[in-house]
Amino acid sequence: GAVLPEYRLAAERGQIESSTTPYYHPILPLLCDTDIARVSNPQSPLPHPAFRHPEDAREQLLRSRQYHERVFGKPPVGLWPSEGSVSDQALEIAMDLGFKWFATDEGVLGRTRNIGFWRDASGYPQNGPDLYSPWNLQRGGKNITGFFRDHYVSDLIGFVYSRMGAGAAAEDLHRRVRAIGDRQPAGSTATVSIILDGENAWEFYAENGRDFLRQFYRRVQDDPEIHALTMSEAAEARPDAPKLEGIFPASWINANFDVWIGHPEDVRAWDLLRDARDTYERVVQRAALNATAPGPSAPSTDSAKRAYEALLAAEGSDWCWWYGPEHASANDAEFDELYRQHLTEVYAALGEHVPDALLHPIKRAPERARREAPQAYLDVKVDGRESNYFEWLGAGFYATDQRSGSMHGRSCVLGQLSYGFGPQHFYLRVDPTEAIADIPDFQFRLTLWDSRETRLTVRVNKGKFAGCILEQGGVCLLRPELLVSAAYEKIIEVSLARELFDLKNRKSLLLSVALWEGGLPIDVLPIDGMLELNLGEENFAWSPT
C-alpha cells in the first residue's frame, strides 16, 4: 500500500517522472487501423475487413491519463505506448490529449530515417548522433518529443550485467555512457535513452540489483559531465531537437507488428474482435434511435457500458502475444479461453446471440504425433551432418503422423525433430523434407522456456548457414558463440549451453521450433503447441538444481 504513494512523493520532489501506457495495454496503431501492419511487413496476413477504431485508441489513452491523475495527483506528460508501438495516427491522438513526449526503440527511428545503427567493436552505433538525440515529431500543427532507446546499452542492463559483479557492471555502464559522450560532435550533448522492462531484469541480479544501481548512481553523481534527467527535463534541454514530419509505424520488437498480427491465429483473433465491435456499434446505434421505447432491442446504459468494457479488455495486446508461434506457455489454453470470454461478454451484455465461433479455441487443435523420450545421453558434433550412426542413437524425437493444414499454402518443410542432453549441452536436430530445396533463404527458430524464453535464430542464405542470433526475453545476448553452436548442411543441428537455463526446482523445459521465410512462419513443430522435455537423470536429462 505504500509503494504508489512513494512514487508520488518521489515525483513531487522531481526525483523521478512517471509515464503511462494505454489502459488495457493495446497496440494503438492496430486499433487505429490493422492495415498499418503491411507498412512494416508487406506479407503480413490481415483481418478483412480491417479493424479501424481510433476512437477506442483515444479511450484507452484517456483512461490511462485519468487513472494516472487519480493515483499521482496530476496527468502524465509522457507516454510509453504498449510495446513501444507507434504510428502517426496514434501519436496524433496522444498529442490531442496533452502528451508531450513518447518513447520507443531505435529500430523505429532507423526505419523512419532509413538508416542503421550497427555497432562497432566498442558498441558505438553507426549514425550515433541521430540516436543520441530527442526528436520533435510535428503533425497537424502540434508536436511531441520522441525518445529512442539505445537497444544495446539497455540490453546490457537487462541481460548481461546480472552475470557480473556489481562494481564491474556499474563501471562498465558508466564507461560506455562516457564513451558515447566523447564521440558526440563538438558543441552538442548526447541524450542516451536507457529503457527496459522493469519487471524482467532485477530478479536475476544479486539483491535485486540494489548494489549495482547504487554503485552506478554514485558514479553518475560524481561525474560532472553526466547528468541524470527525466524525459521532460531532457526534452527541455534540447529545444533545438531535430524535426520529424512522420514516424514509421512499428513496435520495439523487430520494428514491426508481427507478434500481434503476423499469423493466422492472430488474424482470427482480430476477426472475432472486429465482429464483436461491429455488433456493439450496431446495437448501441439501434438503441439510440429507439431510446423512447426501451426493450430487448435497446440495452440499458449499464449493459452497454459492460459490453464496451469487455471490448476494451479484449483489445489488450497480451492475448495475441500468445497466438502464433512466437510465444507460448503452459497456460495457452487459459489465455485463449479468457480472450473468448471477454468477447462472449460483449454479446451477453447486449442481449445478443453469442456466435458459435467463440466456443472453439483459436489456438490450433492438437494433431496426432509420435513422441519418444530420450534413451541415452548424447555427445554430438554440430556440423549439419549425421557424422556417424551412433551420434543421435538414443535421442528423443517428435514426428507427426499426418501433416495437414500447412501454413500459408506450403507443404510440410520440417520433418522429424530429435533432441537430447549431454552433461553441459542440450542438442537438437531437425531433418528437413525435400520441400526445403524450394526455400534457399529462411530462418530456423528454436525456442526453449524455463522461467523465461530463450530463442536461437539460425539464418540460412542461398542454402548456406549464415550465422545465428541468441535472445532471452526477445533481446539479443552478446557473443552467442560462447553459448551456442549451430550448423546446416543436410540437417539442422544445434547445441545450447546448460548455463543458459534456469533449472532451479524445475521439472521440465518447453520447446518449439519454427521455420520462417520473408518474415512469416512457414512451418512449426510441434504443431499442437510445445514439446515438454522432462528433466532428471531418469529421463537422461539435466537434474534440477
Side-chain angles (χ1 to χ4, degrees), residues 30-36 38 44-53 261 266-279:
L30 297 180
L31 286 193
C32 293
D33 184 358
T34 50
D35 283 355
I36 200 74
R38 281 278 172 87
S44 179
L46 296 175
H48 183 74
F51 184 99
R52 291 193 182 100
H53 288 282
I261 203 166
D266 300 321
V267 173
R268 182 62 176 152
W270 281 100
D271 282 335
L272 295 172
L273 175 64
R274 181 203 58 236
D275 292 346
R277 185 63 175 79
D278 289 349
T279 300

Side-chain angles (χ1 to χ4, degrees), residues 253-463:
I253 300 180
N254 302 321
N256 58 40
F257 299 114
D258 287 0
V259 170
W260 302 277
I261 203 166
H263 185 271
E265 288 178 358
D266 300 321
V267 173
R268 182 62 176 152
W270 281 100
D271 282 335
L272 295 172
L273 175 64
R274 181 203 58 236
D275 292 346
R277 185 63 175 79
D278 289 349
T279 300
Y280 168 82
E281 195 74 23
R282 184 179 66 254
V283 172
V284 169
Q285 288 181 2
R286 185 179 65 203
L289 292 174
N290 197 30
T292 58
S297 62
S300 69
T301 301
D302 288 344
S303 296
K305 285 182 178 179
R306 204 171 89 224
Y308 192 51
E309 197 72 30
L311 276 170
L312 294 177
E315 290 172 353
S317 69
D318 288 337
W319 310 115
C320 283
W321 181 268
W322 301 108
Y323 294 133
E326 300 96 347
H327 305 105
S329 78
N331 303 103
D332 280 359
E334 285 85 352
F335 290 131
D336 189 347
E337 183 178 0
L338 282 169
Y339 177 69
R340 290 180 287 111
Q341 282 181 2
H342 282 303
L343 296 181
T344 298
E345 173 68 6
V346 176
Y347 294 92
L350 297 173
E352 294 289 303
H353 172 72
V354 178
D356 290 347
L358 292 177
L359 303 176
H360 302 290
I362 298 170
K363 291 295 286 186
R364 192 174 354 192
E367 188 171 329
R368 289 166 49 196
R370 293 180 293 117
R371 292 177 171 87
E372 186 167 316
Q375 303 297 314
Y377 288 106
L378 302 183
D379 183 11
V380 174
K381 179 182 179 181
V382 178
D383 56 6
R385 302 187 302 271
E386 188 172 31
S387 302
N388 62 73
Y389 171 78
F390 299 98
E391 190 176 35
W392 286 94
L393 194 65
F397 73 88
Y398 171 96
T400 56
D401 289 334
Q402 283 186 319
R403 300 297 304 278
S404 59
S406 58
M407 295 183 182
H408 309 293
R410 283 196 176 273
S411 58
C412 160
V413 180
L414 300 178
Q416 179 172 302
L417 179 157
S418 305
Y419 67 95
F421 296 82
Q424 298 301 325
H425 292 87
F426 170 76
Y427 299 102
L428 180 123
R429 162 183 172 171
V430 171
D431 294 69
T433 68
E434 294 179 357
I436 198 74
D438 297 326
I439 312 175
D441 302 329
F442 63 85
Q443 290 184 347
F444 173 78
R445 301 186 184 183
L446 161 65
T447 308
L448 282 156
W449 292 267
D450 44 33
S451 60
R452 53 190 167 177
E453 178 183 287
T454 299
R455 176 186 293 165
L456 179 68
T457 300
V458 178
R459 294 183 293 112
V460 172
N461 293 333
K462 297 180 180 179

Side-chain angles (χ1 to χ4, degrees), residues 106 117-121 123-126 131-132 150-153:
E106 66 179 44
F117 298 112
W118 306 107
R119 263 66 179 186
D120 62 19
Y124 187 82
Q126 183 184 19
L131 177 59
Y132 299 123
D150 184 316
H151 196 113
Y152 182 82
V153 171

Side-chain angles (χ1 to χ4, degrees), residues 170 207 209-219:
E207 298 183 350
R210 287 183 177 86
D211 194 19
F212 161 71
L213 290 169
R214 287 170 177 157
Q215 293 206 38
F216 175 65
Y217 292 157
R218 188 177 303 118
R219 285 170 168 81

